[in-house]
Amino acid sequence: DAGITQSPRHKVTETGTPVTLRCHQTENHRYMYWYRQDPGHGLRLIHYSYGVKDTDKGEVSDGYSVSRSKTEDFLLTLESATSSQTSVYFCAISSGTGLVNTEAFFGQGTRLTVV
Amino acid sequence: GQQLNQSPQSMFIQEGEDVSMNCTSSSIFNTWLWYKQDPGEGPVLLIALYKAGELTSNGRLTAQFGITRKDSFLNISASIPSDVGIYFCAGHRNRDDKIIFGKGTRLHILP
């Protein structure tokens, strides 16, 4: 299994509170991604990173911010959690070789409930 | 935004039947990926394709990278109960591009 650890695995938080999810990798891969998964929507990209301090928005980035201060960690922050952010969050990593990006490997997911 | 059109959305089949699902795009991709997700787990990579026309097998699974680079298919032969799950196609358009996912095909196997 690829060395990806998400923490926490489960969290319940109150509306309006900030929440930070952590993704840690031991593979030294360049690319890291945060997705959310909701019924009927598949996997939707929130933010991704293509290097330390290099990040970009995905299709559902509103209300989320990210930081990548070192290769192994990619943090996802919900600045003020809302009930619509109740979801399962997945981190993924991938490496790149030349012009080709390689396959991505996923973490086990974080189930976040905002009450 | 860019989307991958994955079909069918769901399938109900009998054990032992073959399964086929596909993914299409309006853009050219240089990588196609197929994943399976079991309940409560993260997606797991099944097959990765890097070259137009490439046909790759992984046990009972076979996937092809379309010659136009705008589509891919996944076949499962002789389905078994543990094949149940959600199958996702995904791909990259270029190296620094984000991975784009289809919405998934949910496979059900009837007893």
Side-chain angles (χ1 to χ4, degrees):
Chain A
D1 290 344
I4 312 170
T5 304
Q6 288 186 232
S7 59
R9 293 291 313 278
H10 302 271
K11 186 171 181 65
V12 179
T13 192
E14 292 185 349
T15 299
T17 61
V19 177
T20 295
L21 308 183
R22 181 183 184 230
C23 179
H24 178 78
Q25 61 147 327
T26 56
E27 305 295 322
N28 200 36
H29 281 357
R30 176 179 176 184
Y31 303 91
M32 299 186 75
Y33 312 82
W34 276 108
Y35 292 87
R36 61 177 288 175
Q37 187 173 34
D38 305 289
H41 290 280
L43 289 155
R44 293 185 291 175
L45 183 66
I46 305 171
H47 283 278
Y48 66 108
S49 170
Y50 44 94
V52 173
K53 292 187 168 59
D54 288 326
T55 65
D56 206 349
K57 294 179 180 180
E59 61 183 305
V60 290
S61 59
D62 287 347
Y64 301 95
S65 61
V66 289
S67 66
R68 191 162 179 209
S69 58
K70 45 187 178 178
T71 299
E72 57 266 36
D73 289 325
F74 193 32
L75 304 179
L76 176 71
T77 297
L78 287 64
E79 291 137 10
S80 177
T82 67
S83 58
S84 65
Q85 293 176 311
T86 292
S87 187
V88 180
Y89 291 85
F90 286 101
C91 173
I93 63 173
S94 67
S95 62
T97 304
L99 294 175
V100 177
N101 202 330
T102 61
E103 59 270 22
F105 298 96
F106 282 80
Q108 291 292 89
T110 295
R111 184 173 294 276
L112 176 69
T113 303
V114 183
V115 298
Chain B
Q2 174 64 42
Q3 289 185 341
L4 291 179
N5 301 308
Q6 187 171 352
S7 64
Q9 188 174 355
S10 64
M11 301 181 73
F12 292 82
I13 63 168
Q14 299 282 348
E15 183 178 348
E17 287 185 9
D18 296 343
V19 173
S20 185
M21 59 191 77
N22 68 78
C23 216
T24 61
S25 170
S26 57
S27 300
I28 289 174
F29 278 66
N30 69 6
T31 305
W32 284 96
L33 310 166
W34 286 93
Y35 290 84
K36 178 178 184 255
Q37 186 178 27
D38 292 322
E41 303 289 330
V44 173
L45 182 71
L46 298 173
I47 293 178
L49 302 158
Y50 299 107
K51 187 176 177 181
E54 180 181 0
L55 185 71
T56 298
S57 294
N58 178 6
R60 293 178 297 105
L61 278 61
T62 302
Q64 185 158 31
F65 192 140
I67 197 70
T68 65
R69 298 173 64 192
K70 293 184 178 180
D71 63 338
S72 178
F73 71 75
L74 175 71
N75 288 341
I76 305 172
S77 62
S79 59
I80 60 177
S82 61
D83 291 335
V84 166
I86 305 175
Y87 292 81
F88 291 99
C89 65
H92 297 280
R93 289 170 297 185
N94 54 63
R95 177 177 173 167
D96 280 336
D97 192 20
K98 53 190 179 292
I99 306 172
I100 299 168
F101 278 83
K103 291 189 182 295
T105 295
R106 187 179 289 273
L107 181 63
H108 305 265
I109 296 182
L110 302 170

Coordinates of all heavy atoms in Angstrom, one line a residue, chain A residues 42-97:
Chain A
G42 N -19.9 11.5 -7.0 CA -18.6 10.9 -7.2 C -17.5 11.7 -6.4 O -17.7 12.2 -5.3
L43 N -16.3 11.7 -7.0 CA -15.2 12.4 -6.4 C -15.0 13.8 -7.0 O -14.8 13.9 -8.2 CB -13.9 11.6 -6.6 CG -13.8 10.3 -5.8 CD1 -12.9 9.3 -6.5 CD2 -13.4 10.5 -4.4
R44 N -15.1 14.8 -6.1 CA -14.9 16.1 -6.6 C -13.6 16.8 -6.0 O -13.4 16.7 -4.8 CB -16.1 17.0 -6.3 CG -17.4 16.5 -7.0 CD -18.6 17.5 -6.7 NE -19.0 17.4 -5.4 CZ -20.0 18.1 -4.8 NH1 -20.5 19.1 -5.6 NH2 -20.3 18.0 -3.6
L45 N -12.9 17.4 -6.9 CA -11.6 17.9 -6.5 C -11.8 19.2 -5.7 O -12.4 20.2 -6.2 CB -10.7 18.1 -7.7 CG -9.3 18.6 -7.4 CD1 -8.5 17.6 -6.6 CD2 -8.6 18.9 -8.7
I46 N -11.2 19.4 -4.6 CA -11.2 20.6 -3.8 C -10.0 21.5 -4.1 O -10.2 22.6 -4.5 CB -11.3 20.3 -2.3 CG1 -12.4 19.3 -2.0 CG2 -11.5 21.6 -1.5 CD1 -12.4 18.8 -0.5
H47 N -8.9 21.0 -3.8 CA -7.6 21.7 -4.1 C -6.6 20.6 -4.4 O -6.7 19.4 -4.1 CB -7.1 22.4 -2.9 CG -7.8 23.7 -2.6 ND1 -7.5 24.9 -3.3 CD2 -8.7 24.0 -1.7 CE1 -8.2 25.9 -2.8 NE2 -9.0 25.4 -1.8
Y48 N -5.5 21.0 -5.2 CA -4.4 20.1 -5.4 C -3.1 20.9 -5.3 O -3.1 22.1 -5.4 CB -4.5 19.3 -6.7 CG -4.4 20.2 -8.0 CD1 -3.3 20.1 -8.8 CD2 -5.5 21.0 -8.4 CE1 -3.3 20.8 -10.0 CE2 -5.4 21.7 -9.5 CZ -4.3 21.6 -10.3 OH -4.3 22.3 -11.5
S49 N -2.0 20.1 -5.2 CA -0.7 20.7 -5.0 C 0.3 20.0 -6.0 O 0.3 18.8 -6.1 CB -0.2 20.6 -3.6 OG 1.2 20.9 -3.5
Y50 N 1.1 20.8 -6.7 CA 2.1 20.2 -7.6 C 3.5 20.5 -7.1 O 4.4 20.4 -7.9 CB 1.8 20.7 -9.0 CG 1.5 22.2 -9.2 CD1 2.6 23.1 -9.4 CD2 0.2 22.6 -9.1 CE1 2.3 24.4 -9.6 CE2 0.0 24.0 -9.2 CZ 1.0 24.9 -9.5 OH 0.7 26.2 -9.6
G51 N 3.6 20.8 -5.8 CA 4.9 21.0 -5.2 C 4.7 21.8 -3.9 O 3.7 22.4 -3.6
V52 N 5.8 21.9 -3.2 CA 5.8 22.6 -1.9 C 5.4 24.1 -2.2 O 6.0 24.7 -3.1 CB 7.2 22.6 -1.2 CG1 7.2 23.5 0.0 CG2 7.4 21.1 -0.8
K53 N 4.4 24.6 -1.5 CA 3.9 25.9 -1.7 C 3.2 26.2 -3.0 O 2.8 27.3 -3.3 CB 5.0 27.0 -1.4 CG 5.5 27.0 0.0 CD 6.4 28.2 0.3 CE 6.7 28.4 1.8 NZ 7.3 27.3 2.5
D54 N 3.1 25.2 -3.8 CA 2.4 25.3 -5.1 C 1.1 24.6 -5.1 O 1.0 23.4 -5.0 CB 3.2 24.8 -6.3 CG 4.4 25.6 -6.6 OD1 4.3 26.9 -6.5 OD2 5.5 25.1 -6.9
T55 N 0.0 25.4 -5.0 CA -1.4 24.8 -4.9 C -2.3 25.5 -5.9 O -2.0 26.6 -6.4 CB -2.0 24.9 -3.5 OG1 -2.2 26.3 -3.2 CG2 -1.0 24.3 -2.5
D56 N -3.4 24.8 -6.2 CA -4.4 25.3 -7.1 C -5.7 24.8 -6.7 O -5.9 23.8 -6.1 CB -4.0 24.9 -8.6 CG -4.6 25.9 -9.6 OD1 -5.4 26.8 -9.2 OD2 -4.2 25.9 -10.8
K57 N -6.7 25.6 -7.2 CA -8.1 25.3 -6.8 C -8.7 24.2 -7.7 O -8.4 24.1 -8.9 CB -9.0 26.5 -6.9 CG -8.6 27.6 -5.9 CD -9.5 28.8 -6.1 CE -9.2 29.9 -5.1 NZ -10.0 31.1 -5.3
G58 N -9.6 23.4 -7.1 CA -10.3 22.4 -7.9 C -11.7 23.0 -8.2 O -12.0 24.2 -8.1
E59 N -12.6 22.1 -8.4 CA -14.0 22.5 -8.8 C -14.9 22.9 -7.7 O -15.9 23.6 -7.9 CB -14.6 21.4 -9.6 CG -14.8 20.1 -8.8 CD -15.4 19.0 -9.7 OE1 -16.5 19.2 -10.3 OE2 -14.8 17.9 -9.7
V60 N -14.5 22.5 -6.4 CA -15.4 22.9 -5.3 C -14.5 23.5 -4.2 O -14.6 23.0 -3.0 CB -16.2 21.6 -4.8 CG1 -17.2 21.2 -5.8 CG2 -15.2 20.5 -4.5
S61 N -13.8 24.5 -4.5 CA -12.8 25.0 -3.5 C -13.4 26.1 -2.5 O -12.7 26.4 -1.5 CB -11.6 25.7 -4.3 OG -12.1 26.7 -5.1
D62 N -14.6 26.6 -2.8 CA -15.1 27.6 -1.9 C -15.3 27.1 -0.5 O -15.9 26.0 -0.3 CB -16.5 28.1 -2.4 CG -16.4 29.0 -3.7 OD1 -15.2 29.4 -4.0 OD2 -17.4 29.2 -4.3
G63 N -14.8 27.9 0.5 CA -14.9 27.5 1.9 C -13.8 26.6 2.4 O -13.8 26.2 3.5
Y64 N -12.8 26.3 1.5 CA -11.7 25.5 1.8 C -10.4 26.2 1.5 O -10.3 27.0 0.5 CB -11.7 24.2 1.1 CG -12.9 23.3 1.2 CD1 -13.9 23.4 0.3 CD2 -12.9 22.4 2.3 CE1 -15.0 22.6 0.4 CE2 -14.0 21.5 2.4 CZ -15.1 21.6 1.5 OH -16.2 20.8 1.6
S65 N -9.4 26.0 2.3 CA -8.0 26.4 2.0 C -7.1 25.3 2.2 O -7.4 24.3 3.0 CB -7.6 27.7 2.8 OG -7.6 27.4 4.2
V66 N -5.9 25.4 1.6 CA -4.9 24.3 1.8 C -3.5 24.9 2.0 O -3.3 26.1 1.7 CB -4.8 23.4 0.6 CG1 -6.1 22.5 0.4 CG2 -4.6 24.2 -0.7
S67 N -2.7 24.1 2.6 CA -1.3 24.5 2.7 C -0.4 23.3 2.5 O -0.7 22.2 3.0 CB -1.0 25.2 4.0 OG -1.2 24.3 5.1
R68 N 0.8 23.6 1.9 CA 1.8 22.5 1.7 C 3.1 23.2 2.0 O 3.7 23.7 1.1 CB 1.7 21.9 0.4 CG 2.5 20.6 0.3 CD 2.1 19.8 -0.9 NE 3.0 18.6 -1.0 CZ 3.2 18.0 -2.2 NH1 2.7 18.5 -3.3 NH2 4.0 16.9 -2.2
S69 N 3.6 23.1 3.2 CA 4.9 23.7 3.6 C 6.0 22.7 3.4 O 7.2 23.1 3.4 CB 4.8 24.2 5.0 OG 4.5 23.1 5.9
K70 N 5.7 21.4 3.3 CA 6.7 20.4 3.1 C 6.1 19.3 2.2 O 4.9 19.1 2.2 CB 7.3 19.9 4.3 CG 6.3 19.5 5.4 CD 7.1 19.1 6.7 CE 6.1 18.8 7.8 NZ 6.7 18.4 9.1
T71 N 7.0 18.6 1.6 CA 6.5 17.6 0.6 C 5.6 16.6 1.2 O 4.6 16.2 0.5 CB 7.8 16.8 0.0 OG1 8.6 17.7 -0.6 CG2 7.3 15.7 -1.0
E72 N 5.8 16.2 2.4 CA 5.0 15.1 2.9 C 3.6 15.4 3.5 O 2.8 14.5 3.7 CB 5.8 14.3 4.0 CG 6.3 15.2 5.2 CD 7.7 15.7 4.9 OE1 8.1 16.0 3.8 OE2 8.5 15.8 5.9
D73 N 3.4 16.7 3.7 CA 2.1 17.1 4.3 C 1.3 18.0 3.5 O 1.8 19.0 3.0 CB 2.4 17.7 5.7 CG 2.8 16.7 6.7 OD1 2.4 15.6 6.7 OD2 3.6 17.1 7.6
F74 N 0.0 17.7 3.4 CA -1.0 18.6 2.7 C -2.2 18.8 3.6 O -2.8 17.8 3.9 CB -1.3 17.9 1.4 CG -2.1 18.8 0.4 CD1 -1.8 20.2 0.3 CD2 -3.0 18.3 -0.5 CE1 -2.4 21.0 -0.6 CE2 -3.6 19.0 -1.5 CZ -3.3 20.4 -1.5
L75 N -2.4 20.0 4.1 CA -3.4 20.3 5.0 C -4.6 20.9 4.3 O -4.5 21.8 3.5 CB -2.9 21.2 6.1 CG -1.7 20.8 6.9 CD1 -1.3 21.8 7.9 CD2 -1.9 19.4 7.5
L76 N -5.8 20.4 4.7 CA -7.0 21.0 4.2 C -7.8 21.7 5.4 O -8.0 21.0 6.4 CB -7.9 19.9 3.6 CG -9.3 20.4 3.1 CD1 -9.2 21.2 1.9 CD2 -10.2 19.2 2.9
T77 N -8.1 23.0 5.2 CA -8.8 23.7 6.3 C -10.1 24.2 5.9 O -10.3 24.8 4.8 CB -7.9 24.9 6.8 OG1 -6.7 24.4 7.3 CG2 -8.7 25.7 7.9
L78 N -11.1 23.8 6.7 CA -12.4 24.4 6.5 C -12.5 25.6 7.4 O -12.4 25.5 8.6 CB -13.5 23.4 6.9 CG -13.8 22.2 6.0 CD1 -12.6 21.3 5.9 CD2 -15.0 21.5 6.5
E79 N -12.6 26.8 6.8 CA -12.4 28.0 7.6 C -13.5 28.2 8.6 O -13.2 28.7 9.7 CB -12.2 29.2 6.6 CG -10.9 29.2 5.8 CD -11.2 29.5 4.3 OE1 -12.3 30.0 4.0 OE2 -10.2 29.3 3.5
S80 N -14.7 27.9 8.2 CA -15.8 28.0 9.1 C -16.8 26.9 8.7 O -17.6 27.1 7.7 CB -16.5 29.4 9.0 OG -17.6 29.5 9.8
A81 N -16.8 25.8 9.3 CA -17.5 24.6 8.8 C -19.0 24.9 8.7 O -19.6 25.5 9.6 CB -17.2 23.4 9.7
T82 N -19.6 24.4 7.6 CA -21.0 24.4 7.4 C -21.6 23.0 7.2 O -20.8 22.1 6.9 CB -21.4 25.3 6.2 OG1 -20.9 24.6 5.0 CG2 -20.8 26.6 6.3
S83 N -22.8 22.8 7.4 CA -23.4 21.5 7.2 C -23.2 20.9 5.8 O -23.2 19.7 5.6 CB -24.9 21.5 7.6 OG -25.6 22.5 6.8
S84 N -23.1 21.8 4.8 CA -22.9 21.4 3.5 C -21.5 20.7 3.3 O -21.3 20.1 2.2 CB -23.1 22.5 2.5 OG -22.2 23.5 2.7
Q85 N -20.7 20.9 4.2 CA -19.3 20.4 4.1 C -19.2 19.0 4.8 O -18.2 18.4 4.9 CB -18.3 21.3 4.7 CG -18.2 22.6 3.9 CD -17.2 23.6 4.4 OE1 -17.3 24.0 5.6 NE2 -16.3 24.1 3.6
T86 N -20.4 18.5 5.3 CA -20.4 17.1 5.8 C -20.2 16.2 4.6 O -20.9 16.3 3.6 CB -21.8 16.8 6.4 OG1 -21.9 17.6 7.6 CG2 -22.0 15.4 6.7
S87 N -19.2 15.4 4.7 CA -18.8 14.6 3.6 C -17.7 13.6 4.0 O -17.2 13.6 5.1 CB -18.2 15.5 2.5 OG -18.0 14.8 1.3
V88 N -17.3 12.8 3.0 CA -16.1 12.0 3.2 C -15.0 12.6 2.4 O -15.2 12.9 1.2 CB -16.3 10.5 2.8 CG1 -15.0 9.7 3.0 CG2 -17.4 9.9 3.6
Y89 N -13.8 12.9 3.0 CA -12.7 13.6 2.3 C -11.6 12.6 2.1 O -11.2 11.8 3.0 CB -12.2 14.7 3.2 CG -13.2 15.8 3.3 CD1 -14.3 15.8 4.2 CD2 -13.2 16.9 2.4 CE1 -15.2 16.8 4.3 CE2 -14.1 17.9 2.5 CZ -15.1 17.9 3.4 OH -16.1 18.9 3.5
F90 N -11.1 12.6 0.9 CA -10.0 11.7 0.5 C -8.8 12.5 0.0 O -9.0 13.5 -0.7 CB -10.4 10.8 -0.7 CG -11.3 9.7 -0.3 CD1 -12.7 9.8 -0.5 CD2 -10.8 8.6 0.4 CE1 -13.6 8.7 -0.1 CE2 -11.7 7.5 0.8 CZ -13.0 7.6 0.5
C91 N -7.7 12.1 0.5 CA -6.4 12.6 0.0 C -5.8 11.6 -1.0 O -6.0 10.4 -0.9 CB -5.4 12.8 1.2 SG -3.8 13.3 0.7
A92 N -5.1 12.1 -2.0 CA -4.5 11.3 -3.0 C -3.1 11.9 -3.3 O -2.9 13.1 -3.2 CB -5.3 11.1 -4.2
I93 N -2.2 11.0 -3.7 CA -0.9 11.4 -4.1 C -0.5 10.8 -5.5 O -1.0 9.7 -5.8 CB 0.2 11.0 -3.1 CG1 0.3 9.5 -3.0 CG2 -0.1 11.7 -1.8 CD1 1.5 9.0 -2.1
S94 N 0.3 11.5 -6.2 CA 0.9 10.9 -7.4 C 2.2 11.5 -7.7 O 2.6 12.6 -7.3 CB -0.1 11.1 -8.6 OG -0.2 12.5 -9.0
S95 N 3.0 10.8 -8.5 CA 4.3 11.2 -8.9 C 4.3 11.6 -10.4 O 3.3 11.4 -11.0 CB 5.4 10.2 -8.6 OG 5.2 9.0 -9.4
G96 N 5.3 12.1 -10.9 CA 5.4 12.5 -12.3 C 6.7 12.1 -12.9 O 7.7 12.1 -12.3
T97 N 6.6 11.6 -14.2 CA 7.8 11.2 -14.9 C 7.8 11.9 -16.2 O 7.0 11.5 -17.0 CB 7.9 9.7 -15.0 OG1 7.8 9.1 -13.8 CG2 9.2 9.3 -15.7

